[in-house]
Amino acid sequence: MPLATVNTMAEEILRLQGVSKHFPIRSFRRFGEVVHAMDDVSFSLGKAEVLALVGESGSGKTTTASVIAQLYPITSGLIRLADPQAPDGFRSVSGKLSRKALLGYRKRVQMIFQDPFGSLNPTHTIEHILSRPYVIHDKVVYRRGEERRKTALKEQLHQLLRSVGLEPPQQYLDKFPHELSGGQRQRVNIARTFSIEPEIVLADEPTSMLDVSIRMSIMNMMLAFQEQKQVSFLYITHDLAGARYMAQRIVVMYAGMIMEIGTSDEVVQRAVHPYTKLLRSAAPAPEEGLKRNRLITQGDIPSLIHPPAGCRFHPRCPYAMAECSRLIPPLKEVEGGHWIRCYL
Ligand code: SF4
């Protein structure tokens, strides 16, 4: 696939162009082999857009968020961030960044992790955890008449906790993460993410480890933040219905590659790719149980060490043809802004 971006949005803030990420296997017996976590991934994120990345475990969606967050270097391709100073309005953030540049990048791009239990340091109080971003990024705001930095910081922390529904805030500051419920911890995570007012938030299945009863309130809270602060969101999930609720557009990934991109309504209601149809038909509807017209496929998600030749979905696809196992299908636009990777 050429290094093209796939978007209908006028103003973009982030572009991934042909990005691949291969993890070497650290085993003497498998020397030289790699895990193809992402291959030739191209998409762009619009300003104040919510874009959902959907797929099963092992589809490469978390790796995609992690390389954007600069947790790992990419193997090939380009990640570019909007920069008004750059000649064409974008600068590359694909290579290794200096400490200062990385700090600046993290100010603009923040991640919410899936695990509300593991992502907060258990030895620190909530006050310490939430103060760090303000101190590191020098965001403590002094107001006229206020003399002490500590007072100003505490006031900002109170406001922050109120904004995520943790009230009264003074009750939470001295607590340790283990004293909070899963939902309260994820609220603290979200508060920490938004404390430095990022432009892009990468939310990696932020509700998947929470009780169903509180998922909706967390999703609505993220949407309210996104709207108030006009933040761009990359929302990662395996749940197509949740993706549709949150996002304007959906990117469907399978075995490290993009299979379909389109507006949420297009992808959910008029899915074209057989894998998207499988995801849709596998979702149980509460009133009818598992759907009778479920798409029947065989096999499991393939090995990413030796991914199938040709279309990565062909060993499971009920419509596979001879050519499907020979060459990787290119991403093609079937109608304005709706792209699929399939020979059908
Ligand atoms: Fe199925 Fe072939 Fe399309 Fe792949 S390219 S999804 S195997 S029909």
Side-chain angles (χ1 to χ4, degrees), residues 39-41 59 252-259 312 328 341:
D39 269 319
D40 194 19
V41 171
S59 60
V252 179
M253 285 187 79
Y254 180 77
M257 296 191 99
I258 290 179
M259 295 291 147
R312 294 212 169 153
I328 296 176
R341 189 189 290 282

Side-chain angles (χ1 to χ4, degrees), residues 55-271:
E56 295 166 290
S57 303
S59 60
K61 51 193 194 316
T62 294
T63 306
T64 304
S66 303
V67 296
I68 297 172
Q70 299 273 339
L71 300 182
Y72 314 117
I74 57 174
T75 306
S76 60
L78 274 176
I79 301 178
R80 305 180 78 214
L81 186 67
D83 181 354
Q85 314 286 324
D88 67 346
F90 282 87
R91 78 183 149 87
S92 170
V93 288
S94 317
K96 193 166 166 44
L97 301 180
S98 67
R99 206 179 140 75
K100 190 172 166 220
L102 190 60
L103 197 64
Y105 184 75
R106 296 248 158 92
K107 223 176 191 171
R108 296 183 68 186
V109 182
Q110 280 281 311
M111 192 155 174
I112 301 173
F113 293 94
Q114 177 179 17
D115 180 5
F117 303 91
S119 49
L120 299 176
N121 188 329
T123 63
H124 289 149
T125 60
I126 302 304
E127 178 166 3
H128 180 90
I129 290 168
L130 291 181
S131 303
R132 294 297 292 156
Y134 285 102
V135 174
I136 291 171
H137 296 284
D138 202 14
K139 294 280 247 180
V140 184
V141 178
Y142 291 86
R143 278 198 240 122
R144 198 175 284 217
E146 271 178 335
E147 287 171 25
R148 296 181 58 211
R149 182 181 169 81
K150 269 188 181 171
T151 315
L153 175 59
K154 206 156 214 167
E155 226 178 74
Q156 277 173 274
L157 296 184
H158 281 190
Q159 267 177 24
L160 189 62
L161 284 169
R162 273 190 215 106
S163 71
V164 293
L166 294 177
E167 294 194 76
Q170 53 279 15
Q171 253 187 30
Y172 292 92
L173 287 178
D174 292 334
K175 290 199 167 161
F176 287 89
H178 73 268
E179 297 177 275
L180 304 182
S181 69
Q184 288 170 335
R185 280 182 236 199
Q186 200 56 304
R187 284 174 195 269
V188 171
N189 265 322
I190 292 169
R192 180 172 59 178
T193 300
F194 282 96
S195 61
I196 53 168
E197 303 191 343
E199 292 165 60
I200 299 175
V201 170
L202 312 164
D204 183 10
E205 306 215 43
T207 60
S208 64
M209 293 180 76
L210 303 178
D211 290 337
V212 179
S213 56
I214 52 172
R215 274 184 202 169
M216 206 58 178
S217 65
I218 299 281
M219 285 162 86
N220 285 336
M221 191 179 72
M222 286 191 293
L223 280 179
F225 268 116
Q226 185 272 332
E227 213 175 294
Q228 280 162 21
K229 298 180 186 291
Q230 292 292 291
V231 180
S232 306
F233 244 77
L234 187 66
Y235 181 74
I236 293 162
T237 180
H238 55 266
D239 168 25
L240 210 49
R244 187 184 183 196
Y245 183 76
M246 291 290 289
Q248 285 110 42
R249 287 190 306 143
I250 294 178
V251 176
V252 179
M253 285 187 79
Y254 180 77
M257 296 191 99
I258 290 179
M259 295 291 147
E260 185 159 0
I261 305 182
T263 62
S264 299
D265 286 346
E266 286 269 339
V267 170
V268 175
Q269 288 178 331
R270 288 185 291 281

Side-chain angles (χ1 to χ4, degrees), residues 259 273-275 310-321 323-325 327 329 340-344:
M259 295 291 147
H273 197 282
Y275 175 62
C311 170
R312 294 212 169 153
F313 190 54
H314 87 258
R316 296 174 74 189
C317 181
Y319 310 109
M321 306 165 280
E323 63 192 300
C324 299
S325 56
L327 277 177
I340 64 156
R341 189 189 290 282
C342 179
Y343 287 122
L344 277 182

